[in-house]
Amino acid sequence: GDSVTQMEGPVTLSEEAFLTINCTYTATGYPSLFWYVQYPGEGLQLLLKATKADDKGSNKGFEATYRKETTSFHLEKGSVQVSDSAVYFCALRGKTGFQKLVFGTGTRLLVSP
Amino acid sequence: EAQVTQNPRYLITVTGKKLTVTCSQNMNHEYMSWYRQDPGLGLRQIYYSMNVEVTDKGDVPEGYKVSRKEKRNFPLILESPSPNQTSLYFCATIGQAGSQYFGPGTRLLVL
């Protein structure tokens, strides 16, 4: 079945450092891909998405490119802030499963001043 | 404001005592679902509903029930909770564009 693999955390960075969180997927066909962010004590918020190969999703300085050839959707940010500290989830929606997102295990990001 | 609300936000209970977690949305979305979040496992879908009176099992439905009598509400029922149902629960809806909206979560501890 469909699955998502994320790098384990926590990822610890200093403010203004470059961020990469790796995400790869296994799915039949061409799924839609998402990054969600969960701040402490809150629910999940959609950060960005891409629905077809080579699409780039972007929001709040974060970017991720849908790479079909490597089945990846890595999250990047050029300069992180303390306020970016959160848990980040990569997820996919398969073409036959509109009603369900398949999530990775989440990666905790800790940014220090 | 578009939102998904859940109640209660925190709950401590004992094994076998029936409980219900409510979920309500004001976006008139047809699709609703429940997830549980556990460390190292991410989020896993428990049940989903594609419309009123239409529900189906997700990946981890054992020990849970749901109902969808009205479009806006989708309660999660634990008839006889057990400690392995201690978790963080999220209700979510799906809009027409396919984006999911999550509630704030309900943290459940079963003793």
Side-chain angles (χ1 to χ4, degrees), chain A residues 7-96:
Chain A
M7 61 188 290
E8 288 198 24
V11 173
T12 304
L13 295 172
S14 298
E15 205 164 25
E16 299 184 1
F18 184 85
L19 168 70
T20 299
I21 300 179
N22 290 339
C23 171
T24 57
Y25 68 89
T26 301
T28 303
Y30 303 107
S32 296
L33 301 174
F34 305 83
W35 277 100
Y36 281 82
V37 59
Q38 184 179 32
Y39 297 104
E42 298 184 12
L44 277 73
Q45 302 173 25
L46 178 64
L47 182 60
L48 53 84
K49 67 179 181 181
T51 57
K52 61 182 187 297
D54 299 324
D55 267 2
K56 177 185 283 189
S58 61
N59 186 24
K60 299 181 181 179
F62 291 89
E63 293 183 340
T65 301
Y66 190 140
R67 302 283 188 203
K68 179 169 65 76
E69 62 277 11
T70 55
T71 61
S72 65
F73 193 54
H74 305 322
L75 182 68
E76 296 181 336
K77 187 175 185 183
S79 176
V80 294
Q81 305 300 311
V82 173
S83 58
D84 293 327
S85 297
V87 180
Y88 292 82
F89 290 91
C90 186
L92 70 81
R93 174 179 292 120
K95 291 306 182 186
T96 58

Side-chain angles (χ1 to χ4, degrees), chain B residues 26-67:
Chain B
N26 64 359
M27 294 169 280
N28 204 36
H29 289 166
E30 292 181 345
Y31 289 84
M32 297 185 74
S33 62
W34 277 101
Y35 292 85
R36 61 178 288 173
Q37 181 182 359
D38 301 290
L41 297 175
L43 280 80
R44 294 174 294 167
Q45 191 181 56
I46 303 170
Y47 268 95
Y48 65 92
S49 169
M50 292 195 287
N51 213 329
V52 175
E53 303 291 2
V54 180
T55 64
D56 209 345
K57 297 177 180 178
D59 296 320
V60 288
E62 294 77 20
Y64 304 95
K65 286 176 57 177
V66 292
S67 69

Side-chain angles (χ1 to χ4, degrees), chain B residues 16-19 63-65 77-81 85:
Chain B
K17 186 176 181 181
K18 181 179 178 180
L19 66 91
Y64 304 95
K65 286 176 57 177
I77 303 156
L78 284 72
E79 294 271 2
S80 182
Q85 293 178 296

